Amino acid sequence: MPDSSPPPSPNSPWENGWTPDSSRAPGTRRLYLAGALAVATIAVCVTAIVVTDKQTDDTSRTKRADPSALPGADGPGLLSFASPSKQGTPTADEHTSNSASTKAPGTTTSATAAEQSKKPSAKAPSPSKSTSSQGSSSGSSGSSGSSGSSGSSSSTTWKSVRSVNYPDRYWQVSGGLVKLNPVSSTAGRRAATFKLVKGLAKSSCYSFATADGTYLRHRNFILRAERNDGSALFKQDATFCPRPSSTSGAVMLESVNYPGRFLRHQNFQLKLDRYQDSGQYRSDSAFRLVAGLN
């Protein structure tokens, strides 16, 4: 008859005389299995990362090799930079600035808007009124009195320009410049006599020609006598518009290409200066057009 007795229980060695193996700690096998599983998981992750990086690198190389994949086909495109503007910056000197030389006659810049509101009216006085107080003839067609309200005068009208606050001094060409000097000699009277003609740049204004064919023009804001070179800049520099003065019988002469700047004397030198709301400025910029001294 076979032996059907149950095998001895491993948990009860004291009952069957079986001695457990105490050479290793309980649960060691489970730790081995967990460690092996962790190592396998790490290996799989590393492999996946390497494969993914390789695929990404291959894709980027393919895009660089394919012109259709360049920036602009599926990306933001190349940055573009506009070429710098070639337009120059105007300077204060009218002879080095194209914008100054091409400014339309009679326009007023924003910088001078406040001054224009204070300065005398822009309406040109009638030459017959400004010269009648000097005793000039108004009946002759060749006199300034017959030129009417247009402000122009005959090409045969010779005038001298006398200062209001220095009545013994006149405009006089000296060394190419125009100064305010007393006149005594014959040569001095000749240098202080000018032909009053229609403005080279504006017929209702004035230009002053000398006996030897030069014209009075401002350059670097200094009044001087120079020959007409035919340029538009010269014509504008040599054109001055008469404006009413606070002194009866006198006029102020405003630059046609620099509205708001008037001819005035300073240290007896004639120059183009910005209008100032002062009695000194108004006196220095007031002149009387009298009969020619020559």
Side-chain angles (χ1 to χ4, degrees):
M1 184 174 183
D3 186 8
S4 60
S5 60
S9 174
N11 298 326
S12 304
W14 55 86
E15 296 177 358
N16 53 30
W18 175 77
T19 302
D21 184 6
S22 61
S23 62
R24 61 181 181 180
T28 303
R29 183 178 299 174
R30 294 175 184 174
L31 292 176
Y32 287 161
L33 291 176
L37 182 60
V39 170
T41 302
I42 293 173
V44 171
C45 292
V46 171
T47 303
I49 292 173
V50 170
V51 172
T52 303
D53 289 344
K54 183 177 181 181
Q55 291 178 350
T56 303
D57 186 58
D58 291 342
T59 302
S60 62
R61 290 180 180 177
T62 303
K63 285 187 176 183
R64 283 196 293 268
D66 185 4
S68 65
L70 290 174
D74 59 356
L78 295 175
L79 294 176
S80 61
F81 298 92
S83 300
S85 173
K86 294 183 179 180
Q87 182 178 1
T89 303
T91 61
D93 187 350
E94 74 274 20
H95 298 280
T96 58
S97 169
N98 292 331
S99 62
S101 63
T102 58
K103 183 187 296 183
T107 59
T108 304
T109 62
S110 59
T112 60
E115 296 170 1
Q116 291 287 351
S117 63
K118 295 181 180 180
K119 72 178 185 178
S121 169
K123 182 179 179 182
S126 169
S128 60
K129 294 180 181 179
S130 62
T131 56
S132 60
S133 61
Q134 310 304 327
S136 59
S137 171
S138 59
S140 146
S141 61
S143 67
S144 61
S146 63
S147 57
S149 61
S150 65
S152 61
S153 60
S154 171
S155 60
T156 58
T157 302
W158 292 89
K159 293 290 182 181
S160 292
V161 185
R162 186 171 67 189
S163 170
V164 165
N165 53 350
Y166 287 90
D168 60 332
R169 290 176 179 264
Y170 299 79
W171 288 11
Q172 185 184 63
V173 178
S174 177
L177 301 178
V178 182
K179 299 183 179 181
L180 198 65
N181 290 334
V183 176
S184 56
S185 65
T186 301
R189 288 193 295 271
R190 177 181 175 86
T193 303
F194 307 98
K195 183 188 295 183
L196 193 66
V197 299
K198 291 182 179 181
L200 298 180
K202 190 175 182 180
S203 61
S204 61
C205 299
Y206 295 152
S207 288
F208 297 87
T210 64
D212 58 2
T214 62
Y215 285 85
L216 304 188
R217 58 90 58 97
H218 68 82
R219 181 157 57 85
N220 296 328
F221 302 126
I222 301 298
L223 192 64
R224 61 194 75 213
E226 293 184 358
R227 294 201 172 274
N228 186 1
D229 59 10
S231 67
L233 176 60
F234 185 97
K235 293 176 181 179
Q236 291 178 356
D237 287 350
T239 301
F240 305 94
C241 298
R243 306 298 186 213
S245 169
S246 58
T247 302
S248 176
V251 295
M252 298 174 66
L253 295 169
E254 184 179 23
S255 169
V256 76
N257 55 344
Y258 278 85
R261 287 182 179 267
F262 295 79
L263 288 175
R264 68 167 298 182
H265 65 83
Q266 195 170 40
N267 296 327
F268 302 121
Q269 170 71 58
L270 271 297
K271 59 185 295 188
L272 199 62
D273 198 8
R274 192 179 301 277
Y275 179 80
Q276 301 169 24
D277 188 17
S278 68
Q280 183 66 51
Y281 181 94
R282 285 188 286 269
S283 295
D284 290 348
S285 59
F287 302 98
R288 288 188 171 93
L289 303 181
V290 301
L293 300 178
N294 187 22

